[in-house]
Amino acid sequence: MSRAFLVVMDSVGIGGAPDADQFHNGTTPDTGANTVAHIAQACAAGRAEDGRSGPLHLPNLDALGLGAATRLASGAPTPGLDAEPQGRWGCAREHSPGKDTPSGHWELAGLPVPWDWHYFPDGQPTFPERLSVAAAEAAGTEGILGNCHASGTAIIAELGPEHMRTGWPICYTSADSVFQIAAHEDSFGLDRLLDMCRALAPRLHEMKVGRVIARPFIGSPETGFTRTTNRKDFAIVPPAPVLTNWVQDAGRSVHAVGKIGDILSMQGIDTLHKGSDAELMGHLFNLVDKASDGSLTFANFVEFDSLYGHRRDISGYARALEWFDREIGKIVQKLHPGDLLLLTADHGNDPSWTGTDHTREQVPVLIAGQGSGGIGCVNFADVATSIAHHLNIPAQGPGRSFL
């Protein structure tokens, strides 16, 4: 019996979203953003030399069709990505009205978002007074810090000392539908932070805010502050069954790698594997070896987005892509006969773009283990239906199989 491995390269967009003009980074529309193409162009021009050098080198992803998919989506030149594809390849576009993590993952799992998310206005204070009061009450403090749109790393550098002095949590948001809470793991306490997020989540979910995110950090004013891997997302439960439910309801096993469990609120998931991207790759290796016949492994590699896209670090993003390419080449060699490995993304995060937010882009669809040839431009929801088709289980939702 065949197995399926669905791997989301978080934020690895390929440009060309037809509605990009409706999405903005600050006042700049996302029209023209292209994560992969702009990284490749920067590498070819010698503008991504920190910790690496030369043209972007992604032989395994390119052989699966990454360069071809980027050209299909946007027509953009991608120096160094010009191989003749050996896998099945294409691009996918999202229909949900967002460029955030839940929107992308839900739709890839077969469920377009059926409502408009709530976004907080870009001003200060950004949160309504009643929400700020509720956050302070949940923390057991007299108030909160932040109360603004901010970069997560910048705001802990700015407010970390005051947070440690007062004990007040740092609450902030972004262009996504999120309420983020940063707190020191030692002086504030990790369990206390998670309890605070858990207490606030129902109120924010009722407002249609997609996620409450715990952002723990460590360090001191003298040495600086660093976010830890103990992040946890408290996301709205999908309002209808998604791919993981379909697979589980058919009596098959479902393994989540990375933040998939948080994004889908553990719906339809049997085992959960977390850690850094390097640790997640180890979990994926093990699952390719040991996952049972008929199973689904759904993985997310977040550090493209969290460490490099939001920080507008072109060199770092290129290094991460080249590391991932080397490792995914090993994964392809380990697949069993009949397995399907599908690589895609949930949105873009062009490190050459203005602002620090996600970018509205199409995404690659790269398939190993199922022959070669183009599938054209498909919809996000078609990914779930195609995987259900491969696993020979019933599919729900609006998608159509491209297999």
Side-chain angles (χ1 to χ4, degrees), residues 220-279:
S220 70
E222 293 74 28
T223 62
F225 299 106
T226 305
R227 296 198 297 198
T228 75
T229 58
N230 291 320
R231 162 185 171 158
K232 183 171 178 59
D233 295 31
F234 296 81
I236 293 180
V237 176
V242 293
L243 174 63
T244 51
N245 299 115
W246 311 346
V247 176
Q248 194 180 66
D249 290 348
R252 314 286 185 81
S253 297
V254 179
H255 309 288
V257 177
K259 63 179 186 177
I260 297 298
D262 289 345
I263 296 165
L264 299 181
S265 299
M266 290 302 293
Q267 297 300 294
I269 291 170
D270 295 302
T271 69
L272 178 62
H273 309 267
K274 304 187 81 171
S276 67
D277 275 11
E279 292 168 328

Side-chain angles (χ1 to χ4, degrees), residues 14 34 37 62 65-85 89 91:
I14 54 176
N34 193 321
D62 197 21
L66 179 59
T70 304
R71 291 187 292 275
L72 173 65
S74 61
T78 52
L81 301 180
D82 52 11
E84 184 68 26
W89 62 275
C91 62

Side-chain angles (χ1 to χ4, degrees), residues 24-26 118-128 145-156 158-159 170-180 356-357:
H24 294 75
N25 268 266
H118 176 82
Y119 300 94
F120 294 107
D122 190 359
Q124 194 167 1
T126 194
F127 304 126
L145 302 176
N147 202 343
C148 60
H149 281 241
S151 159
T153 53
I155 201 166
I156 63 171
E158 177 188 351
L159 297 179
I170 303 169
C171 301
Y172 63 103
T173 189
S174 71
D176 289 348
S177 179
V178 293
F179 187 91
Q180 305 195 71
T356 59
D357 297 321

Side-chain angles (χ1 to χ4, degrees), residues 185-244:
E185 282 199 0
D186 299 323
S187 65
F188 189 89
L190 178 59
D191 289 342
R192 182 182 172 196
L193 172 60
L194 297 178
D195 287 344
M196 178 185 174
C197 292
R198 196 174 289 113
L200 284 173
R203 175 190 293 265
L204 285 147
H205 293 167
E206 187 175 346
M207 296 169 62
K208 293 297 184 284
V209 174
R211 290 175 292 165
V212 178
I213 306 178
R215 292 286 197 175
F217 63 91
I218 56 175
S220 70
E222 293 74 28
T223 62
F225 299 106
T226 305
R227 296 198 297 198
T228 75
T229 58
N230 291 320
R231 162 185 171 158
K232 183 171 178 59
D233 295 31
F234 296 81
I236 293 180
V237 176
V242 293
L243 174 63
T244 51

